[in-house]
């Protein structure tokens, strides 16, 4: 149960290399169950969500070996189709394995997933999609049980563009008989990355990044090497930290194409931004201006995973802002914590009304989820005086070496065992 001890008020200066994307790596790891070929994934981030996913793969009988910065996954010896609750509860993305496992074994038994407590997060779209591919689904004792004779391609219309459901259906259908068409598919860049990865293994998937994805089933997938895309949410978190603390920071290994909605807002804040090749430069020299209104939306709209960090920034802008969360129900749990630091925020339904104050002050705060925790850290970095953030296991789920990267930029942040 570690905590961060932070002395606020330092400008951030220097460069930081962006990790590969958690939300890309997790479904790609799930996809490895689909093949007997060896898969080499480079630069897999050292985060607990990945550790939990690889623990689940090991429990299924897959072998995962780290060679340098790469993970080599060999699923040829996978023999189990069950994920017990002790493993599934650590990771919401364990639900992606439904599609992969049912494709491989024609049955699956998976405990209901865990993950961030940011609202109901149902899996009805995942299950109805699998049903359309011919899977019989029942639920018993906290387990989802899937069985089928064979998987058959079909047309699937999603009621809303769920990222996880789109990915799960892609995984279930790549080796199905015939063609699957997913309509109203999510368009997130991580879905494009999953398509690229599956096609490296020999799948025939097209259309990712648009609302219609077409998957022509193939009999068999092979092995291959892949480097997942850069983590746009980690990148966004560092950009917002720089905007909030002031300074000059270069993000390396990430382009601006997947971050347009944030870059647009940061320019409204008065930050100077430049994108060149795979680098993003940000300079922030004065108190940020208010952005008036931010609304989370499916991609390419403003990402819900940057909502908490953006609200933290709004707390010190000159002027008022309204931040509206349209995707998840309880994604303002960090707000009472920010208020301990002097933030002036009122939450009404799905909107946070933020009145900018000149400066936050240090406080002891508690992270309740991954992105809310990151928001508390960057608020503490910008605040006057000393802060502590407890509950940082949530942050470890998605940020590799967060405190090292921030320290390298000049922040005064230490991890302390409690
Ligand atoms: C993924 C991301 C998460 C991000 C989210 C939205 C991963 C590992 N996680 O989560 O970081 O915040 O996308 O960009 O990639 N819904 C249903 N029924 C379902 C599935 C979803 O109603 O069966 C609803 C959810 O309650 C939510 C909305 O759809 O309101 C979006 O959820 P979804 O896109 O599925 O998010 P995740 O895949 O869980």
């Amino acid at each position: 149960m570690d905590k961060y001890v932070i002395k606020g008020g330092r400008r951030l200066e220097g460069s930081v290399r962006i990790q590969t994307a958690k939300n890309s790596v997790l479904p790609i790891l799930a996809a490895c169950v689909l093949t007997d070929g060896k898969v080499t994934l480079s630069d897999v981030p050292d985060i607990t969500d990945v550790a939990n996913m690889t623990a689940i793969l090991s429990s299924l009988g897959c072998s995962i070996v780290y060679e340098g910065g790469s993970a080599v996954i060999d699923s040829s010896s996978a023999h189990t189709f069950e994920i017990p609750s002790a493993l599934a509860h650590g990771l919401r993305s364990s639900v992606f394995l439904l599609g992969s496992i049912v494709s491989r074994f024609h049955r699956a038994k998976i405990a209901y997933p865990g993950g961030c407590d940011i609202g109901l997060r149902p899996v009805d779209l995942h299950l109805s999609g699998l049903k359309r591919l011919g899977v019989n689904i029942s639920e018993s004792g906290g387990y989802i049980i899937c069985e089928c004779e064979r998987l058959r391609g079909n047309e699937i219309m999603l009621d809303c563009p769920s990222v996880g459901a789109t990915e799960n259906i892609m995984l279930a259908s790549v080796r199905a008989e015939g063609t699957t068409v997913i309509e109203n598919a999510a368009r997130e860049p991580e879905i494009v990355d999953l398509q690229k990865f599956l096609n490296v293994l020999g799948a025939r998937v097209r259309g990712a990044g648009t609302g219609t994805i077409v998957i022509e089933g193939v009999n068999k997938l092979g092995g291959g090497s892949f480097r997942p895309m850069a983590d746009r949410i980690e990148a966004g978190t560092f950009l917002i930290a720089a905007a909030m603390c002031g300074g000059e920071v270069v993000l390396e290994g990430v382009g601006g194409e997947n971050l347009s909605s944030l870059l647009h807002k940061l320019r409204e804040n008065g930050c100077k931004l430049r994108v060149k090749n795979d680098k993003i430069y940000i300079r922030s020299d004065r108190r940020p201006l208010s952005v008036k209104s931010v609304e989370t939306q499916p991609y390419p709209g403003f990402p819900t995973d940057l909502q908490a960090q953006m609200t933290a920034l709004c707390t010190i802008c000159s002027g008022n802002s309204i931040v509206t969360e349209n995707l998840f129900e309880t994604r303002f749990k960090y707000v009472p914590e920010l208020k301990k630091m002097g933030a002036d925020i009122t939450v009404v339904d799905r909107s946070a009304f933020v009145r900018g104050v000149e400066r936050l002050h240090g406080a002891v705060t508690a992270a309740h989820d991954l992105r809310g925790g990151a928001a508390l850290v960057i608020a503490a970095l910008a605040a006057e005086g000393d802060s502590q953030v407890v509950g940082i296991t949530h942050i470890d789920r998605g940020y590799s070496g967060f405190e090292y990267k921030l320290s390298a930029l000049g922040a005064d942040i230490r991890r302390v065992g409690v």
Side-chain angles (χ1 to χ4, degrees), residues 22-23 26 92-93 96 121-126 160-165 167 188 304-305 327-329 331:
K22 167 179 97 66
N23 288 353
L26 292 173
R92 177 175 165 78
S93 308
F96 298 134
R121 305 193 82 168
V123 291
D124 54 315
L125 300 174
H126 299 243
C160 74
S162 155
V163 175
E167 292 170 337
E188 267 64 7
T304 175
D305 288 352
L327 272 80
F328 294 109
E329 299 86 5
R331 222 174 180 178

Side-chain angles (χ1 to χ4, degrees), residues 245-268:
C245 296
E248 210 168 336
V249 171
V250 185
L251 308 189
E252 293 184 0
V254 62
E257 63 281 4
N258 297 328
L259 278 160
S260 304
S261 57
L262 174 67
L263 299 184
H264 182 71
K265 287 293 167 199
L266 290 173
R267 287 195 174 102
E268 272 181 52

